[in-house]
Amino acid sequence: GTVRAKASSHTRGEGSVNATIAQKAVSVAGIVANGKTYDGKTNATLSNQGAVATGIEGETLTVTTTGSFNDKNAGARKVNTTTTIASTGDTLASNYSLSNAINVVDATIAQKALTVAGIVANGKTYDGNTTATLSNQGTVATGVSGESLAVTTIGSFNDRNAGARKVNTTTTITSTGDTLASNYSLSNATNSVDATIAQKSLIIAATATNKVYDGKSTATATLSTGDLVTNDKVSLNQAAANFVNAQGVNDKNVGKAKTVKVSGLSLTGDDALNYKLNNEGAVATTTANISAKSLSISATASNKVYNANTLADVTLSTGDKVEGDTLTLNKTASTFGTKDVGTGKTVTVAGLNLG
């Protein structure tokens, strides 16, 4: 302020001089910024706006500090702060100046945790491996306006065998446009979803062996299939194989390209349950021949007393007839070579036939 004084030569006087009271410089200390989860913004909050010590007894000031992150993205960041002071009671803020109104403090923006939802796995037919495909790789909602992420999910069955199974999935997120995946973390990167491996359809084919007539309809058949997965252990089984006629009745008789019916087909083995037998009625058919059985006839002639003719009495027999078959051995004639008496004479049996 300014003080004025008047003086004279007769009296002691009072005078005035000019002088200035400067603002007292103070500094703010103790500012603490809160960390936050990524929200796409630089907004910051402070857990402590700081304080100033006036150094003058009885005088305090109100401190207001605001701040914002220097970068919106997740990571260890800086919060730029601006502090102002205000009067409190009889303490005038105008008596003070703030030497460090601008400050920088540390704080962290944490990645925002997201979850993937909507993953759908496709069922498949048994193929001997655990490979899986997905009809929906899932989606994530960032919750941040204007931000979206690309989702990639892969999966594999927890078991290669047919049945109700689980597909174990792994999901990753990647940046899209200005959206950085590094601002997010995936809380459920691994998941398990339901899917079914259906049994593989399998058809058994049969091949029958030709045979010589033996009085039976039974056939020898070999089974095969082209539907097995490589290295799978499956046995092809049959209950019976028989030659049959056009009515499907067992037929033991000679014929070419006769139908062979292989019935009671079944599957066994370590991997059998991965397959579904697709032969109708568990039957396979093929063809084969039954050829005639070779048969030799033997003749035994009876001795006779001379009667002036060559006729001989002969009995026919064979050891080649199938047991149980009814068969007549026939001849048209049986004669001695001459009518005359003799020992060990040859008898000729002609016109042998079967009836």
Side-chain angles (χ1 to χ4, degrees):
T2 301
V3 180
R4 290 185 174 85
K6 295 180 179 179
S8 70
S9 60
H10 300 289
T11 61
R12 179 179 293 176
E14 296 179 358
S16 64
V17 295
N18 294 326
T20 299
I21 299 175
Q23 290 178 312
K24 182 175 183 178
V26 294
S27 60
V28 63
I31 298 171
V32 179
N34 295 313
K36 71 171 184 177
T37 298
Y38 175 76
D39 61 3
K41 301 175 183 178
T42 58
N43 295 352
T45 61
L46 305 174
S47 60
N48 193 332
Q49 295 187 35
V52 295
T54 65
I56 296 178
E57 185 179 357
E59 293 204 3
T60 59
L61 293 166
T62 299
V63 175
T64 301
T65 303
T66 60
S68 60
F69 282 92
N70 65 337
D71 190 313
K72 72 173 185 174
N73 296 308
R77 300 300 175 203
K78 300 291 184 181
V79 174
N80 299 321
T81 64
T82 301
T83 302
T84 58
I85 53 177
S87 302
T88 303
D90 293 333
T91 304
L92 298 179
S94 57
N95 288 326
Y96 299 90
S97 64
L98 197 58
S99 60
N100 61 340
I102 304 298
N103 281 282
V104 177
V105 294
D106 295 323
T108 298
I109 300 178
Q111 291 177 315
K112 183 174 184 180
L114 305 177
T115 58
V116 61
I119 297 172
V120 179
N122 296 313
K124 71 172 184 177
T125 298
Y126 172 76
D127 58 7
N129 61 57
T130 58
T131 303
T133 61
L134 304 176
S135 59
N136 191 331
Q137 295 187 34
T139 57
V140 294
T142 66
V144 176
S145 178
E147 296 204 0
S148 61
L149 294 165
V151 174
T152 302
T153 302
I154 57 174
S156 60
F157 282 91
N158 65 337
D159 190 310
R160 76 182 187 98
N161 296 305
R165 301 299 175 202
K166 297 289 186 181
V167 174
N168 297 324
T169 63
T170 301
T171 301
T172 56
I173 53 176
T174 53
S175 304
T176 303
D178 294 332
T179 304
L180 299 179
S182 58
N183 288 325
Y184 299 92
S185 64
L186 200 56
S187 60
N188 62 337
T190 56
N191 283 280
S192 180
V193 295
D194 295 327
T196 298
I197 299 178
Q199 290 176 309
K200 179 173 171 45
S201 179
L202 181 146
I203 295 177
I204 294 177
T207 303
T209 304
N210 296 331
K211 76 170 187 175
V212 175
Y213 173 78
D214 60 2
K216 301 174 183 178
S217 65
T218 55
T220 300
T222 302
L223 304 180
S224 63
T225 183
D227 297 325
L228 285 177
V229 172
T230 303
N231 297 325
D232 267 7
K233 296 177 181 178
V234 176
S235 297
L236 310 179
N237 308 305
Q238 56 181 297
N242 288 281
F243 289 89
V244 296
N245 60 23
Q247 289 71 44
V249 177
N250 290 355
D251 184 356
K252 67 178 183 177
N253 297 311
V254 170
K256 290 185 177 181
K258 291 176 68 71
T259 298
V260 175
K261 176 182 177 182
V262 185
S263 58
L265 298 177
S266 65
L267 306 174
T268 57
D270 294 346
D271 299 305
L273 293 179
N274 291 317
Y275 297 89
K276 178 183 179 181
L277 185 61
N278 209 31
N279 291 67
E280 185 175 356
V283 169
T285 59
T286 185
T287 60
N289 303 329
I290 300 178
S291 58
K293 179 176 172 59
S294 179
L295 180 145
S296 296
I297 296 176
S298 299
T300 303
S302 299
N303 297 327
K304 76 172 185 175
V305 175
Y306 175 80
N307 61 359
N309 64 52
T310 60
L311 296 178
D313 185 14
V314 172
T315 300
L316 303 179
S317 64
T318 182
D320 298 324
K321 181 175 73 69
V322 171
E323 184 178 357
D325 272 6
T326 300
L327 186 64
T328 302
L329 307 180
N330 303 309
K331 60 180 174 56
T332 56
S334 54
T335 59
F336 286 94
T338 67
K339 67 178 182 177
D340 299 318
V341 171
T343 300
K345 291 175 69 70
T346 298
V347 175
T348 299
V349 182
L352 294 176
N353 62 85
L354 305 174

